[in-house]
Amino acid sequence: MIKNSQLRESLKSLTQIIYPYYENGLRLDDRFEDDKQYVAIMLTMLDKQIAKIPEFDLCCKIMAEDEKIQKQLGQLVGTRSHYSLVADEKTCILGFLKQIYLESNQYDQSVFDKKYLSFEDFFYSDHLVYKDSANLYNFSFADSELALGHGVTIRRPIARFLQQTDYEKYIERMYKPYTAFSNSMFVIERDYEAKKIIGDPGEIDQNVIFNEQHESPLLFDLVIDSLRILKPSAIYRDHRIKSKSITFQPHGGVTERSPFYENIAVGGKCNIEANEIATLRKVFNFLCREEDSRFLVAKRRLSSGIERRSPEDRLIDYMIGLEALYLPDGNAELSFRLSLRVAFLLSSGAMRKKTFEFLRKMYGMRSKIVHGSKYELSEEDVKKLEQLLRKSILLWIEDKSNFSVTQKTKSGRVKTKGKLDTIFFQD
């Protein structure tokens, strides 16, 4: 619903007028037409000329008479982790005009309507809306969009958002050449709202700011974990996260957050079929709420193992993951109990003995690796171990009671018997 119809009509007239000014003033050659940053800088050089248009003064006057808008001018406006100075009416209008032009270099009513609603939301709403995104690599999906829940979506962006500037291409070739072999043209996106703060927010708990800034990275990591749990692949994401304000911001732009490290995976693509979507959503939503430390260790070790280059390191990660799920109740006879429990939970019939013997072999291999003894480790064995851990994690997601252990009182009496201790007597 429009809050200030007079301002809308005046901005509409001004927007229609400025297009010839921008077109005549820019005169870009072909090298810079698609470089949004360069175009934005050039548009700023035309600010004085745009400010002399009579309709510009009228828009400033209408904004000056709006009490809701006036309370925010000259103030810091934003959230606990994103905020900027809203200087005056002139700054807001110039920012609005440039953002519309960068969206479409010809007047488009639908673009104006969308941008104006965003403009009003900035001044009239109690919340600000943001979109965080990160490139997704080694991913394949037939459709253009896959919604997972919690505001998170895997999407194939429209073509113009996939275009890179010459500088971005140079940086990627120099520092991230591996992306050329794994680019999948998909991104992970998260849309979310944050409470708007006007003026000096005062002293804010740094933990609150940290949690707000890391909410998207954590959810994006859960997407990667979900895909890795669902099936074997070398799926990974760009650790740089771009944050764009969907609600109007006077200075516009996109911020980018990067960690000090980046983990990648090498291997085949993760191709999601239509019949796997429901399972993927189930896994992702389970990961978003599961807090059991045993499961979290197993999930983390599966993911870190996939990213490691050395088969020895991968084996150790996968064994730690299996131990977290199957051996929470003591330190005696680890190899025997781990092998027996995995064999009975994941296999049946003649395969139980083979699984048991394989786990005993892998446990012995792990001991040789960590103690520096001689060993012979095959890639096939490591992949088989990875699949056992993946299968175990999926079984936990299906019914975690399969991994329950016997509970005892302080005096040592058995309160409840766990599945891991009684499974041998079931068939």
Side-chain angles (χ1 to χ4, degrees):
M1 182 178 177
I2 303 300
K3 302 291 193 302
N4 192 326
S5 57
Q6 185 183 9
L7 178 60
R8 180 186 181 278
E9 292 306 312
S10 298
L11 275 175
K12 179 180 176 180
S13 298
L14 177 60
T15 303
Q16 292 170 333
I17 291 170
I18 58 95
Y19 270 86
Y21 283 85
Y22 282 155
E23 287 298 321
N24 294 329
L26 284 176
R27 300 186 183 280
L28 299 171
D29 61 38
D30 294 340
R31 292 177 300 164
F32 301 110
E33 280 185 351
D34 296 323
D35 191 331
K36 298 293 186 183
Q37 291 180 333
Y38 181 82
V39 174
I41 293 170
M42 297 302 293
L43 290 176
T44 301
M45 296 175 67
L46 301 173
D47 283 353
K48 290 184 178 179
Q49 188 177 346
I50 298 298
K52 293 178 181 179
I53 301 173
E55 285 79 3
F56 188 93
D57 284 336
L58 177 59
C59 291
C60 288
K61 181 180 178 182
I62 295 171
M63 289 184 68
E65 293 172 351
D66 189 310
E67 292 184 7
K68 192 81 171 178
I69 294 176
Q70 277 300 305
K71 288 180 180 178
Q72 299 173 62
L73 298 181
Q75 299 281 349
L76 287 173
V77 179
T79 67
R80 288 170 296 196
S81 56
H82 304 271
Y83 51 85
S84 60
L85 178 66
V86 183
D88 50 28
E89 301 92 344
K90 179 180 175 181
T91 302
C92 294
I93 295 172
L94 288 170
F96 175 77
L97 296 173
K98 281 179 275 196
Q99 289 172 42
I100 284 189
Y101 184 82
L102 289 170
E103 183 84 11
S104 175
N105 57 14
Q106 293 182 342
Y107 181 79
D108 184 319
Q109 187 62 47
S110 63
V111 172
F112 174 84
D113 290 340
K114 181 182 72 172
K115 290 293 186 181
Y116 182 76
L117 287 175
S118 172
F119 186 79
E120 277 204 347
D121 282 345
F122 179 74
F123 293 106
Y124 291 96
S125 177
D126 293 330
H127 291 78
L128 301 176
V129 182
Y130 294 90
K131 181 188 292 291
D132 287 355
S133 63
N135 291 337
L136 185 61
Y137 298 106
N138 277 331
F139 181 79
S140 176
F141 184 58
D143 292 332
S144 59
E145 183 176 308
L146 174 52
L148 297 176
H150 297 269
V152 177
T153 302
I154 297 175
R155 193 189 312 277
R156 190 199 307 268
I158 58 178
R160 64 193 179 88
F161 288 116
L162 292 172
Q163 294 174 351
Q164 292 178 303
T165 64
D166 289 339
Y167 177 73
E168 288 173 329
K169 291 177 182 177
Y170 168 76
I171 291 297
E172 195 145 278
R173 285 197 302 267
M174 287 293 293
Y175 300 106
K176 305 179 72 177
Y178 49 82
T179 59
F181 304 100
S182 55
N183 197 359
S184 63
M185 294 299 184
F186 281 86
V187 297
I188 312 174
E189 292 182 346
R190 174 182 175 241
D191 296 314
Y192 61 99
E193 289 186 350
K195 184 175 176 57
K196 184 171 74 175
I197 299 173
I198 301 173
D200 185 359
E203 188 173 346
I204 302 176
D205 187 342
Q206 292 300 309
N207 289 328
V208 173
I209 297 176
F210 179 86
N211 291 336
E212 187 174 287
Q213 291 178 334
H214 286 76
E215 194 167 356
S216 288
L218 290 173
L219 282 170
F220 289 179
D221 284 344
L222 291 181
V223 173
I224 301 301
D225 289 340
S226 301
L227 291 166
R228 289 173 174 176
I229 288 170
L230 186 64
K231 60 201 312 183
S233 74
I235 188 79
Y236 69 99
R237 72 170 178 88
D238 192 333
H239 280 60
R240 296 173 299 177
I241 292 182
K242 295 180 179 179
S243 184
K244 178 182 179 181
S245 176
I246 303 303
T247 308
F248 169 79
Q249 291 285 344
H251 305 289
V254 176
T255 60
E256 188 175 285
R257 306 193 297 275
S258 300
F260 293 112
Y261 64 91
E262 181 168 16
N263 293 330
I264 66 168
V266 176
K269 278 190 175 181
C270 180
N271 180 37
I272 297 299
E273 304 290 348
N275 61 358
E276 296 172 317
I277 294 175
T279 304
L280 176 59
R281 287 176 177 152
K282 178 180 178 179
V283 172
F284 176 70
N285 283 284
F286 183 88
L287 264 56
C288 286
R289 65 176 185 271
E290 180 60 278
E291 297 180 349
D292 192 298
S293 60
R294 293 165 60 196
F295 179 85
L296 296 181
V297 169
K299 170 185 72 73
R300 188 168 62 249
R301 288 296 176 168
L302 174 65
S303 213
S304 63
I306 290 171
E307 293 170 355
R308 294 191 190 276
R309 299 290 171 272
S310 162
E312 291 84 358
D313 290 339
R314 288 163 55 203
L315 180 143
I316 291 171
D317 271 327
Y318 300 150
M319 289 301 297
I320 292 174
L322 288 169
E323 286 186 41
L325 296 179
Y326 291 94
L327 296 176
D329 53 348
N331 298 314
E333 300 178 329
L334 296 183
S335 174
F336 177 77
R337 289 192 299 129
L338 173 66
S339 304
L340 200 60
R341 288 174 172 180
V342 173
F344 269 82
L345 263 186
L346 301 187
S347 305
S348 60
M351 281 303 299
R352 277 183 175 165
K353 183 179 180 182
K354 291 183 178 180
T355 303
F356 174 81
E357 291 174 347
F358 174 74
L359 261 297
R360 291 275 280 187
K361 172 186 171 183
M362 289 299 99
Y363 200 94
M365 191 75 67
R366 175 219 174 150
S367 297
K368 290 179 180 179
I369 291 170
V370 298
H371 292 107
S373 304
K374 290 184 178 181
Y375 60 88
E376 291 184 8
L377 178 61
S378 71
E379 183 67 25
E380 183 181 348
D381 282 345
V382 177
K383 288 182 178 179
K384 186 176 178 181
L385 192 63
E386 176 189 324
Q387 192 58 22
L388 286 174
L389 177 55
R390 178 176 289 107
K391 194 174 178 180
S392 299
I393 292 172
L394 286 169
L395 183 61
W396 179 294
I397 293 172
E398 189 65 34
D399 183 3
K400 63 188 295 183
S401 67
N402 284 308
F403 297 86
S404 60
V405 292
T406 299
Q407 302 294 320
K408 295 182 179 181
T409 64
K410 291 182 178 179
S411 61
R413 295 182 60 185
V414 174
K415 289 171 58 179
T416 56
K417 288 190 175 181
K419 184 76 172 284
L420 289 177
D421 295 309
T422 59
I423 191 174
F424 318 115
F425 309 107
Q426 303 172 7
D427 203 21

